[in-house]
Amino acid sequence: MSKPQVFVTRKLTNEVIAMLETVADVKQWEEDTPVPREKLLEEIEHADAVLTMLTERVDEELLARAKKLRVVANMAVGYDNIDVPACKRRGIAVTNTPDVLTEATADLAFALLLATGRRVTEANRFLLAGEWTSWSPYLMAGQSVYGATLGIIGMGRIGEAVARRAAGFNMRILYHNRNRKEEAEAKTGARLVGLEELLQEADYVVLLTPLTAETKHLMGAYEFSLMKKSAVFVNVSRGETVDEAALHHALTTGQIWAAGLDVFAQEPVPLDHPLLALKNVVALPHIGSATIQTRNEMASLAAANIVAVLSGKEPLTAL
């Protein structure tokens, strides 16, 4: 009896492939670039399982070609690249990789907060360009972080981890969420408030919501108009949760002070994107969970979900 077939859409470690080979024959895209759509459409016809990244769209077109597919294991905490209802209608399990990336993503969110507030990358470019000629009282002066007010929009696992870090900086923590998080409140002193109150009071606003129909362009012209002129906006959720034209307007007209962005509506972001030209923007290439240890854990968890399903067991982290 032939083994099930697994297709992996990006080159992963030998250890992860070996895990999958305990239950299946494995093919993987050997390049560290997104698998071409045509190749994915071809491979899905024979696959019992597919290990995907955020760069792959698992949609009706793809699923219509999937004759044997039993599980889609997404190596990400998000899953906006997957048509989950369409998978479920076909009895295909969908899994993601929560928890294992929480701390790394929270680290990156706080790194962006610090780098943006204290103008770290701007000051680095200033020095390397040979513009530092003398000490000056307000040279590259930024915004204080210690003791400032932090507003977290989306108090999930990552939001709670960011709040724990903020508590170490003696920050006043406000959060906006669908549900109250009493344990996080007890640990960090965070307070649940309405979105408008959060935007009006926060010195730093960190956006951590998943991308849904309700959260698309959650941050738009009105929301930015509520923020302090000295406020910093940080996005480590998904690019489309923000109206980028409205953010650009807010930054160039002085409605807000600066922005730190790890995500964009179009990724990779075009080099001529207007936000990249602004000195008061710190931009990163979607590296929220990018530590070696975390990416290894994410890949292992995605593989473990596939092994479970192909072995007739329940997946570890089903949606």
Side-chain angles (χ1 to χ4, degrees):
M1 184 176 176
S2 61
K3 281 186 172 182
Q5 304 291 309
V6 176
F7 183 63
V8 180
T9 65
R10 198 69 62 91
K11 186 173 177 60
L12 298 177
T13 64
N14 292 335
E15 291 79 7
V16 170
I17 300 304
M19 185 189 306
L20 292 168
E21 287 177 337
T22 62
V23 296
D25 291 328
V26 182
K27 291 180 69 175
Q28 71 172 327
W29 179 244
E30 294 287 347
E31 306 296 329
D32 193 24
T33 56
V35 60
R37 180 70 173 179
E38 296 75 17
K39 178 67 173 174
L40 182 57
L41 288 168
E42 174 188 326
E43 293 293 342
I44 205 70
E45 293 186 8
H46 314 288
D48 295 271
V50 59
L51 196 159
T52 55
M53 315 290 155
L54 284 174
T55 47
E56 283 82 57
R57 288 182 292 107
V58 180
D59 53 15
E60 284 285 357
E61 180 191 30
L62 189 77
L63 294 170
R65 302 277 287 268
K67 299 180 176 64
K68 306 190 300 174
L69 192 62
R70 294 160 61 186
V71 55
V72 177
N74 210 36
M75 190 176 143
V77 68
Y79 46 89
D80 44 283
N81 58 313
I82 298 172
D83 188 336
V84 177
C87 287
K88 291 186 175 181
R89 285 196 300 271
R90 293 170 167 84
I92 299 168
V94 181
T95 70
N96 63 342
T97 56
D99 297 326
V100 295
L101 51 66
T102 296
E103 301 302 335
T105 307
D107 283 347
L108 192 281
F110 217 82
L112 260 181
L113 184 154
L114 287 165
T116 309
R118 292 301 306 273
R119 302 173 69 178
V120 171
T121 57
E122 184 184 356
N124 177 252
R125 292 192 298 267
F126 180 84
L127 183 153
L128 295 178
E131 297 180 51
W132 185 25
T133 58
S134 67
W135 183 89
S136 174
Y138 292 98
L139 177 67
M140 289 294 150
Q143 301 290 343
S144 295
V145 177
Y146 188 85
T149 297
L150 171 66
I152 299 172
I153 304 174
M155 194 67 142
R157 297 180 185 91
I158 298 170
E160 291 184 26
V162 170
R164 292 196 303 272
R165 286 154 178 75
F169 281 76
N170 196 34
M171 299 183 86
R172 173 180 174 237
I173 304 166
L174 308 177
Y175 74 97
H176 178 69
N177 200 59
R178 286 179 299 180
N179 305 308
R180 186 175 180 185
K181 297 298 184 77
E182 294 183 5
E183 185 176 347
E185 291 178 4
K187 289 181 178 179
T188 66
R191 183 166 66 89
L192 177 65
V193 297
L195 181 58
E196 290 190 358
E197 181 180 348
L198 182 150
L199 294 171
Q200 290 169 340
E201 295 195 21
D203 300 301
Y204 294 87
V205 173
V206 178
L207 183 59
L208 290 165
T209 59
L211 176 61
T212 66
E214 292 74 28
T215 62
K216 184 174 181 179
H217 287 189
L218 175 64
M219 290 296 295
Y222 174 69
E223 288 73 24
F224 289 120
S225 74
L226 295 176
M227 292 173 62
K228 297 178 180 180
K229 292 184 182 298
S230 58
V232 170
F233 173 71
V234 174
N235 188 15
V236 287
S237 58
R238 289 290 183 267
E240 286 190 291
T241 56
V242 176
D243 181 336
E244 292 179 340
L247 174 58
H248 184 272
H249 177 79
L251 289 163
T252 53
T253 60
Q255 281 187 337
I256 67 173
W257 197 71
L261 308 172
D262 186 42
V263 290
F264 294 85
Q266 180 183 344
E267 295 182 356
V269 62
L271 287 179
D272 61 354
H273 193 296
L275 286 169
L276 299 187
L278 303 182
K279 289 184 177 181
N280 56 345
V281 169
V282 177
L284 300 177
H286 203 152
I287 58 170
S289 60
T291 70
I292 295 168
Q293 297 85 350
T294 299
R295 290 291 165 84
N296 285 342
E297 290 185 56
M298 291 169 67
S300 294
L301 179 53
N305 275 310
I306 289 175
V307 171
V309 172
L310 296 186
S311 300
K313 302 174 183 177
E314 291 296 316
L316 283 70
T317 54
L319 295 175

